[in-house]
Amino acid sequence: MLLKNTSLKWAGFLIAIIVMLFLMGASIVFGYTDTTLQMAIDAFTNNNGSNEHIIIETVRLPRALIASAVGASLAIAGALMQTLTKNPLAAPGIFGINAGAGFAVVAAITLFNVNNMQGFNALAFLGAAVAAISVYAIGSFGREGMTPMKLTLAGAAISAMFASFTQGLLVLDEALLDQVLFWLAGSVSGRKLETLISVLPYIGIGWVGALFISGKMNILAMGEDVAKGLGLNTGFIKIAIGVIVILLAGASVAVAGPIGFVGIVVPHLTRSIVGIDHRWVIPFAGVLGAILLLAADIAARYLLMPSEVPVGVMTAIIGTPFFIYIARRGFNAR
Amino acid sequence: MSKYKNFRLLGGKFSVLVDRKASFIFIILVLIAFVVFTISTGSGEMKINPLTVVKVLFGAGPEMETLVITSFRLPRIIVALIVGMSLAVAGGILQGMIRNPLASPDVLGITGGAAAAVVGFLAIFSDKNHSLTVSIAWLPLAAFIGAGVVAFLVYFLAWKNGVSPIRLVLIGIGISTLMQALTTFLMVSGPIYQASQANIWITGTVYGSNWQNVAILVPWAVIFLIIALIAARILNIQELGDDVATGLGEKVQKHRFILLMISTALIGGSVAFAGGIGFVGLMAPHMARRLVGSSFGALLPTSAMLGGILVMLADLIGRTMFSPLEVPAGVFTAGIGAPYFIYLLFKTRNA
């Protein structure tokens, strides 16, 4: 734990927010089209309709906001899942929730001809929910009950299943492939602000809900029996966590496609900074998740200029070594 | 009558116990496979009746039918059969080695490595006009190398005073996700028709197989299928867990490596020619376990036959149902396999 007492934590939180705001600014200013900070300010206060101003307003700003919101949501979802399943590798990507939501969105386009945003969102949530429930159910059958290993494998299997369904749909409809390929890689670019606004209520509920139950999660983390002994309604808390995870992950996928590894890396990082008190972990994870995705997105623009690397690929490159490190450390060591 | 029949060969130097029930089921499956093989050979744009097919197979059919069958249909169906057998046996080995029914070539990232290599191959060996600079015949080699590299990578990253099955799986999952990201990235950065070509390959299809493919694949697969069968006794011991296996005098680590290499060779061979046909490696061993129990000497041959039948059926359906449109076999193995697999899991839970 890096920050040992409450005032240090408040200071750390403040610094993290400042870094996040700075990166949001950087995300608006830096990119293929040369813009300056002054232009960015002018674009909002004194828009003269020039190309730069239009780019800042319609491309860069939504992108920065979406990266922050999605990063925060995925990180919080990961933190919740890791506590719920007592599995350090739990995250929306590994547990197939992203894949489920991704398949649902692709199916929405091909099979159901959905073309309004609320329809996409609803199906993304449905896909996320189906994947989450199946993984949880498959992971907990058998004699020993739910073990981290079984749960992880169930996640990988469900993930593989939805991925091949998605592939199947794309094979049958090649025009669609062109349309959704970049989205499938996980990307925060080329989205309109309306897309974010349409999921904001769900994300908001998720964030506030996560903060509300963070105290209860400390009790749940002590183990099921202890938590029950202390008078916690564990069933209710578990369902609440599940609903929040589905809202956050489903909304993230609907906006930005399946972006992996944020949900794994950030909660671990957060715990090493603020310890295991969820009342701190949840808000910190949110801000750090936003920072990670903003930074990855800025790097993604410069790596192969002038073309862009999808941010989901960036997070995979950053996240895999980290994942392997945790996997090698094993489940029991904390 | 005892459950097993004892065979002694070479004056007792070599002996095997053969499970009577399992061999009965195996023979039935071979017959079913033959029937599916014949029907599949007979169906398509030009319908040929099964009797003529059998005649052609024995070299006594009419000229026109012989041409269609031998030059177009046979290679593809043979590839389907062999690929199904390889994937099923590889899946069975992985499940025994990792001691978990959810392990499969897809989950361990081996198929993913092959996919990344194929898309990489298409991207690297293309000139400015996006036409290939080398022959497409090298594609299987790229796939094979991809599968092999990932298998080694996963194995060495999982090494920490020996390789535990849990670490192997977890690291496989991580690498598999990375490979998926790489694949998508390469697909995004190339032109769209290349992406769609790659996507068909990743989904898995035996379309366009020729005799040359058969000539490479069949000896390779047959050798490793036989090795796998011999290694079945190692698997029986490995499935007891590391402690018991060590106590029984098993060289756990060395044999685990050998088993992983056998399954990689099988998977590598089949992804090279048929792409990432999913869920066969997961499904076939499960079905076999329900039929003959979990002793690997009986399980591996049974799941091999089941795997062959599954892929041949998937190919048959994909070829004929939406004719003239060809649907890759992988779409059906996933579309039918995955729900069936979940059903199986829930059923075992309640049993």
Side-chain angles (χ1 to χ4, degrees), chain B residues 110-130:
Chain B
I110 302 178
T111 331
V118 162
V119 186
F121 174 87
L122 291 176
I124 291 166
F125 294 106
S126 292
D127 55 18
K128 280 208 184 73
N129 306 320
H130 302 298

Side-chain angles (χ1 to χ4, degrees), chain A residues 89 94 134 137-138 140-142 149-150 152-154 156-172 174 177-179 181-182 184-185 260-261 304 308-310 312-313 316-317 320 323-324 327-331, chain B residues 98 100-103 106-107 156-160 165-167 169-171 173-175 177-178 180-182 184-185 187-188 192 195-196 199-200 202-203 279 282 325-328 330-331 334-336 338-339 341-342 345-346 348-349:
Chain A
L89 293 173
I94 299 296
S134 340
I138 294 175
S140 42
F141 76 81
M149 165 82 164
K150 276 203 300 204
T152 313
L153 260 175
I158 291 291
S159 212
M161 179 180 97
F162 280 118
S164 35
F165 285 171
T166 310
Q167 267 162 25
L169 287 181
L170 293 179
V171 165
L172 302 178
E174 284 185 18
L177 179 66
D178 194 19
Q179 210 181 323
L181 192 56
F182 215 78
L184 266 184
F261 290 107
L304 288 179
E308 276 190 14
V309 182
V313 175
I317 293 170
T320 308
F323 181 93
I324 290 171
R328 280 177 63 88
R329 201 173 54 177
F331 282 131
Chain B
I98 290 160
N100 191 300
L102 290 167
D106 321 75
V107 170
F156 285 113
L157 285 174
W159 182 273
K160 187 174 161 188
I166 295 186
R167 270 203 303 280
V169 171
L170 293 180
I171 292 191
I173 292 173
I175 296 286
T177 318
L178 177 67
Q180 217 173 2
L182 276 181
T184 323
F185 168 56
M187 277 164 79
V188 169
I192 189 65
S196 106
N199 197 44
I200 291 177
I202 292 170
T203 312
F279 288 92
L282 200 65
L325 205 76
E326 285 243 5
V327 182
V331 172
I336 302 166
F341 173 69
I342 289 175
L345 283 178
F346 277 99
T348 8
R349 184 188 64 156

Side-chain angles (χ1 to χ4, degrees), chain B residues 162-287:
Chain B
V163 166
S164 80
I166 295 186
R167 270 203 303 280
L168 205 60
V169 171
L170 293 180
I171 292 191
I173 292 173
I175 296 286
S176 157
T177 318
L178 177 67
M179 289 299 149
Q180 217 173 2
L182 276 181
T183 309
T184 323
F185 168 56
L186 288 166
M187 277 164 79
V188 169
S189 47
I192 189 65
Y193 60 84
Q194 215 171 57
S196 106
Q197 196 184 352
N199 197 44
I200 291 177
W201 187 92
I202 292 170
T203 312
T205 173
V206 289
Y207 174 77
S209 309
N210 53 35
W211 283 111
Q212 212 187 341
N213 299 350
V214 176
I216 303 171
L217 177 63
V218 170
W220 175 269
V222 167
I223 290 172
F224 282 100
L225 284 173
I226 292 171
I227 297 178
L229 209 54
I230 297 169
R233 43 196 293 271
I234 308 178
L235 262 179
N236 282 333
I237 304 173
Q238 287 251 341
E239 219 194 9
L240 299 173
D242 283 13
D243 299 342
V244 179
T246 313
L248 289 170
E250 157 88 349
K251 301 184 188 87
V252 175
Q253 288 303 331
K254 190 178 151 200
H255 285 163
R256 184 165 290 152
F257 181 74
I258 293 173
L259 288 173
L260 185 67
M261 286 305 112
I262 298 172
S263 44
T264 305
L266 286 170
I267 297 164
S270 47
V271 289
F273 294 104
I277 294 187
F279 288 92
V280 178
L282 200 65
M283 197 169 34
H286 274 272
M287 299 166 79

